């Protein structure tokens, strides 16, 4: 007996009476899988004999690698991985002009080039804090940021509150 399961990308064995495995994908399909080794399972299933399962590591295919550092360090480090697809994250506060096209010309295997520095982190953190506001607070903040006059803002907030209450109590 042998049970072969599919769809989960990471290969794994499941504890069961019969040998049971998720084979996983045979290639790294996203950068979230960049550290996963990929396998194939070869099951020898014969009558009147216990099933023997061998796991073989796949060596072929193009691996994925993520590099996160300053522009200069990325250029040096990226050259060490000519046979990988690269996700590049530049951390410089002031990256060189046209850093994306420059990286792509120096490292043609770079398929995703991003900037993620302290300034961007501050914006992301601010957005996270905004998500902790209630819907009513978010709407009021939006009205303030868009320069809505105080009188119009009060009317819109009152209408919003009325509609929001109806939605919450399912009266619509």
């Amino acid at each position: 007996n042998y049970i072969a399961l599919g769809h989960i990308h990471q290969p794994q064995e499941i504890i069961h009476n019969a040998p049971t495995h998720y084979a996983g994908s045979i290639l790294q399909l996203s950068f979230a899988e960049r550290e996963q080794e990929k396998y194939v399972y070869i099951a020898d299933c014969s009558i009147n004999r216990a099933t023997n399962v061998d796991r073989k590591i796949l060596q072929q295919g193009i691996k994925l690698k993520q590099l996160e550092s300053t522009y200069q360090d990325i250029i040096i480090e990226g050259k060490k991985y000519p046979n990988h697809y690269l996700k590049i994250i530049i951390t410089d506060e002031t990256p060189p002009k046209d850093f994306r096209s420059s990286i792509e010309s120096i490292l043609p295997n770079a398929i995703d080039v991003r900037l993620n520095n302290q300034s961007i982190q501050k914006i992301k953190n601010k957005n996270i804090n905004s998500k902790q506001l209630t819907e009513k607070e978010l709407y009021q903040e939006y009205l303030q940021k868009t320069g809505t006059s105080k009188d119009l803002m009060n009317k819109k907030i009152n209408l919003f509150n009325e509609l929001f209450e109806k939605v919450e109590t399912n009266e619509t």
Side-chain angles (χ1 to χ4, degrees):
N1 292 335
Y2 178 69
I3 300 171
L5 304 170
H7 190 72
I8 293 181
H9 290 209
Q10 183 171 350
Q12 53 194 288
E13 183 174 355
I14 306 298
I15 297 174
H16 191 274
N17 295 340
T20 305
H21 296 91
Y22 277 104
S25 58
I26 59 171
L27 298 171
Q28 296 172 336
L29 297 176
S30 77
F31 282 95
E33 299 177 30
R34 67 187 179 274
E35 301 300 326
Q36 290 179 11
E37 287 190 315
K38 298 299 183 172
Y39 306 96
V40 292
Y41 292 95
I42 301 171
D44 180 4
C45 305
S46 300
I47 297 174
N48 298 324
R49 203 173 63 173
T51 299
N52 182 42
V53 180
D54 286 327
R55 181 174 80 168
K56 303 289 183 191
I57 296 175
L58 296 172
Q59 301 294 332
Q60 300 299 312
I62 298 175
K63 302 276 188 193
L64 304 177
K65 181 77 177 164
Q66 179 174 307
L67 302 174
E68 183 169 354
S69 191
T70 63
Y71 176 84
Q72 290 301 323
D73 289 345
I74 290 288
I75 299 300
I76 294 165
E77 191 68 16
K79 290 179 180 178
K80 296 177 185 176
Y81 301 97
N83 299 319
H84 288 66
Y85 287 130
L86 302 175
K87 177 179 182 177
I88 305 292
I89 302 172
I90 305 290
T91 59
D92 297 82
E93 280 306 308
T94 309
K97 185 179 179 185
D98 298 327
F99 70 92
R100 280 187 179 88
S101 57
S102 174
I103 290 280
E104 289 166 351
S105 68
I106 297 168
L107 303 171
N109 53 329
I111 60 171
D112 186 353
V113 180
R114 300 175 183 204
L115 180 64
N116 190 15
N117 55 31
Q118 289 180 359
S119 300
I120 290 172
Q121 283 303 314
K122 286 179 188 175
I123 293 168
K124 285 181 179 178
N125 291 339
K126 184 179 179 195
N127 288 339
I128 289 169
N129 291 337
S130 293
K131 290 177 183 171
Q132 295 171 354
L133 299 175
T134 66
E135 289 84 355
K136 294 173 188 177
E137 292 167 332
L138 284 169
Y139 184 60
Q140 185 171 358
E141 186 179 282
Y142 165 77
L143 292 174
Q144 289 170 343
K145 287 182 179 177
T146 56
T148 306
S149 70
K150 196 162 193 92
D151 288 339
L152 184 56
M153 185 185 311
N154 288 333
K155 288 177 185 177
K156 287 184 173 189
I157 289 172
N158 288 336
L159 181 59
F160 178 87
N161 288 339
E162 183 181 318
L163 292 171
F164 194 79
E165 261 183 57
K166 286 181 179 180
V167 170
E168 281 187 318
T169 59
N170 210 13
E171 290 181 15
T172 56

